Amino acid sequence: MAALGNIADESAIASVAADSDDEQIRWLAVERLQSESKLNELERSARSADTRWQAGRKIGHAPLNDLIAITTAWPLRRIAETESVPELQQMAVGRDHHDAVAC
């Protein structure tokens, strides 16, 4: 994760966000992105729902299908901690609880 801080190129950061298998690294990469075009690209085409969700939220969208598609606890908890819209926060909390019960 520390190595991500050494990457300055927006295209390289977007590649990490799109391609990393580690959800925490993807999350940190999206947090670092400033380019709206890179965020739009991630929202449209990232392979993981949590990356599409986070990119969309960062540019002001609420991609609900991606929120619903998130299946792992870490990004759901992160969304619940950081989301400013109460209804979206509750959706993340509910999904996290549902996934925990299903295990």
Side-chain angles (χ1 to χ4, degrees), residues 34-46:
Q34 300 301 313
S35 167
E36 191 167 327
S37 66
K38 295 295 181 193
L39 290 165
N40 277 316
E41 184 179 321
L42 284 173
E43 183 185 16
R44 282 190 315 274
S45 61

Side-chain angles (χ1 to χ4, degrees), residues 60 70 96 100:
I70 298 171
D96 183 34

Side-chain angles (χ1 to χ4, degrees), residues 35-82:
S35 167
E36 191 167 327
S37 66
K38 295 295 181 193
L39 290 165
N40 277 316
E41 184 179 321
L42 284 173
E43 183 185 16
R44 282 190 315 274
S45 61
R47 63 183 167 106
S48 50
D50 56 280
T51 300
R52 293 189 306 269
W53 162 263
Q54 185 189 11
R57 286 307 284 147
K58 191 162 181 180
I59 54 178
H61 305 156
L64 294 178
N65 289 337
D66 293 317
L67 177 57
I68 292 166
I70 298 171
T71 59
T72 56
W74 191 90
L76 289 169
R77 288 185 187 133
R78 189 74 183 124
I79 292 166
E81 292 169 357
T82 60

